[in-house]
Amino acid sequence: MKTQKVVLKNETGLHARPASELAKIAAKYQSTINLIIEGKPVINAKSILNIMAAGIKNSTEIEIQCDGADEEAAMNELLNAFNNNFGE
């Protein structure tokens, strides 16, 4: 299992468009991909509804967990997306 913490830099948080991008990236991989938001219960990163329901705001610390055969590639793409603010 790969884990990495990131801090969300999007001024508007994970609203519909970046949440959709995150779920789309996660869905490309066979690995289980979860998010832990400031110690709250695990969120399935492949579900846009779960991501949006979490109400993730700017400057929130997020722990990404990838577990499976393609976990390395999944983590790299997710970290790249977070670092690029999902294109915003």
Side-chain angles (χ1 to χ4, degrees):
M1 176 187 292
K2 292 268 186 203
T3 63
Q4 180 73 42
K5 290 185 179 180
V6 295
V7 176
L8 184 65
K9 298 175 193 167
N10 288 43
E11 288 185 27
T12 54
L14 277 182
H15 58 86
R17 201 197 67 67
S20 173
E21 282 296 311
L22 176 58
K24 187 176 10 172
I25 292 168
K28 292 180 1 183
Y29 296 95
Q30 292 178 342
S31 294
T32 301
I33 302 172
N34 293 312
L35 306 175
I36 298 175
I37 313 303
E38 297 179 336
K40 294 180 184 172
V42 171
I43 297 169
N44 178 356
K46 296 180 182 184
S47 169
I48 187 172
L49 294 177
N50 287 347
I51 296 167
M52 293 201 46
I56 305 167
K57 308 266 188 239
N58 183 30
S59 300
T60 301
E61 184 177 83
I62 301 167
E63 182 178 343
I64 306 168
Q65 295 180 335
C66 299
D67 188 20
D70 53 3
E71 63 189 30
E72 185 79 39
M75 181 64 79
N76 288 337
E77 188 169 356
L78 289 166
L79 289 174
N80 187 44
F82 273 98
N83 290 334
N84 292 320
N85 296 327
F86 297 94
E88 291 190 339

